[in-house]
Amino acid sequence: MSQDKHQVSAEDSLIARYFKPLATDPGAFGLVDDAAVLSSSGDDIVVTTDAVVEGVHYLATDPPDTIARKALRVNLSDLAAKGAAPAGFVLTLALRSKEDGWLRPFADALGEDSRTFACPLLGGDTVSTPGPQMISITAFGRVPKGRMVGRTGARPGDLILVTGTIGDAALGLDVLTGGAAAGALASEQQAKEMLVSRYRVPQPRNVLAQAVRDHATAAMDVSDGLAGDLAKLCAASGVSATVDVANVPLSAAATGLIARNAICVETLLAGGDDYEVLCTVPPAQTDALIAAGQAAGVAVTAIGTIVAGHERPRFLDGQGQELTLRRLSYSHF
């Protein structure tokens, strides 16, 4: 995102009007240059990128402020799982139009979240597109040298922990698209609104980044589904896992839908967009991570154990019987 003061294009005007106020880091140079400087201060720089595409990651009818928050927060969630503190982000927008009615609430919400999470805009690009809108963000974070938490450190005996609740976002999308959850919750407006909010506006667990860094042997965020993402973590670490499904944390709304047979547990285990932290922790350090979550107001729950082997993780019901999951996660293709 750069401007030439001698020839102001429509793109330059859009950037100046909506996004220059978000570029508060000195290294962004007020978006007048075509590059930025991010000081490392001796730390390692963690880089992550995610795009949200209309019709794939959000609905065309979603409010622009929620789209902005989701676009940034899915990247902040990745940083949290790496144990990194946010440092800044760059933004690429592919827009069909430049209407103020859409861009103003989008930019305002993006600015609010950038301040809330101390992650200022550093630069980016805007382009027009005749197709679906797309917002791509690359976020940068800082960790002490050599301390990033990857996916490869899980060891047999580690406990598997997850933050928050699982499956709510998938149910929120189901509500928005008139699925089984929408019908079952027809008279429960508060529950529907909660589930929709979980889909539209993730809650990245950045307040736990240091605790994850201090205690976890491996971590990632749950974006494509708990079952599938645990399988990815295990594959990266060369281990397997067993999960007690009865211990997987669920919201009251999700628990009620299962009790009424409106949905099956697979919907929750394989649904995407949770953006919770999934990590493995040695038993001796588990209580410390759970306590850090309690202090930060974020529930942290032990759901299983890492075991030796290379098999797909096993998900056991309340009687110890293995559940057969037809799918493990959301697929982008």
Side-chain angles (χ1 to χ4, degrees):
M1 291 184 177
S2 62
Q3 292 188 69
D4 182 341
K5 65 181 180 180
H6 300 296
Q7 185 176 358
V8 179
S9 68
E11 178 188 5
D12 295 333
S13 297
L14 184 153
I15 291 167
R17 182 174 185 181
Y18 297 106
F19 299 110
K20 186 175 181 178
L22 281 58
T24 56
D25 190 281
F29 304 119
L31 303 185
V32 300
D33 211 316
D34 54 3
V37 172
L38 184 61
S39 172
S40 68
S41 304
D43 294 331
D44 285 340
I45 300 296
V46 178
V47 183
T48 184
T49 187
D50 270 305
V52 294
V53 179
E54 181 184 55
V56 179
H57 304 96
Y58 68 91
L59 303 177
T61 53
D62 284 348
D65 60 315
T66 68
I67 298 168
R69 295 186 195 281
K70 186 168 192 175
L72 181 56
R73 291 180 183 210
V74 300
N75 286 277
L76 292 169
S77 180
D78 279 322
L79 293 180
K82 301 298 99 183
F89 71 100
V90 294
L91 167 71
T92 297
L93 284 176
L95 301 171
R96 280 193 305 274
S97 68
K98 52 177 183 175
E99 295 176 3
D100 185 74
W102 193 93
L103 275 168
R104 175 47 59 199
F106 178 92
D108 286 348
L110 191 63
E112 288 175 6
D113 266 9
S114 72
R115 292 187 293 274
T116 297
F117 293 100
C119 192
L121 177 66
L122 299 174
D125 193 21
T126 57
V127 297
S128 63
T129 177
Q133 293 194 142
M134 185 273 294
I135 302 100
S136 178
I137 283 178
T138 298
F140 304 90
R142 294 188 178 95
V143 294
K145 211 151 195 64
R147 295 287 307 281
M148 189 193 87
V149 183
R151 298 183 185 184
T152 60
R155 298 291 179 263
D158 286 351
L159 296 185
I160 303 164
L161 276 63
V162 69
T163 63
T165 55
I166 296 298
D168 292 333
L171 296 178
L173 177 59
D174 195 67
V175 168
L176 287 169
T177 55
L185 295 171
S187 61
E188 300 178 42
Q189 188 62 27
Q190 187 172 1
K192 288 193 294 184
E193 289 177 357
M194 183 277 291
L195 295 174
V196 167
S197 177
R198 287 278 285 162
Y199 171 70
R200 286 176 167 168
V201 185
Q203 301 298 318
R205 305 307 185 180
N206 298 86
V207 292
L208 290 182
Q210 182 174 339
V212 169
R213 190 170 71 236
D214 288 345
H215 303 296
T217 55
M220 64 183 295
D221 75 333
V222 180
S223 56
D224 295 332
L226 175 65
D229 286 335
L230 177 59
K232 294 174 189 174
L233 187 150
C234 287
S237 291
V239 295
S240 186
T242 58
V243 173
D244 185 347
V245 173
N247 288 340
V248 174
L250 304 179
S251 67
T255 301
L257 288 169
I258 289 179
R260 285 179 269 174
N261 294 315
I263 61 167
C264 63
V265 71
E266 181 179 314
T267 300
L268 307 178
L269 297 177
D273 288 334
D274 288 314
Y275 297 106
E276 298 291 352
V277 173
L278 170 69
C279 60
T280 59
V281 181
Q285 298 186 56
T286 299
D287 287 346
L289 183 52
I290 291 174
Q294 289 175 334
V298 178
V300 181
T301 306
I303 63 171
T305 306
I306 296 295
V307 298
H310 297 279
E311 301 83 8
R312 194 170 82 174
R314 301 172 67 222
F315 288 79
L316 309 179
D317 65 17
Q319 288 70 50
Q321 300 299 308
E322 185 171 0
L323 297 175
T324 301
L325 302 179
R326 292 168 296 175
R327 67 184 184 95
L328 296 182
S329 63
Y330 169 81
S331 174
H332 293 275
F333 295 96

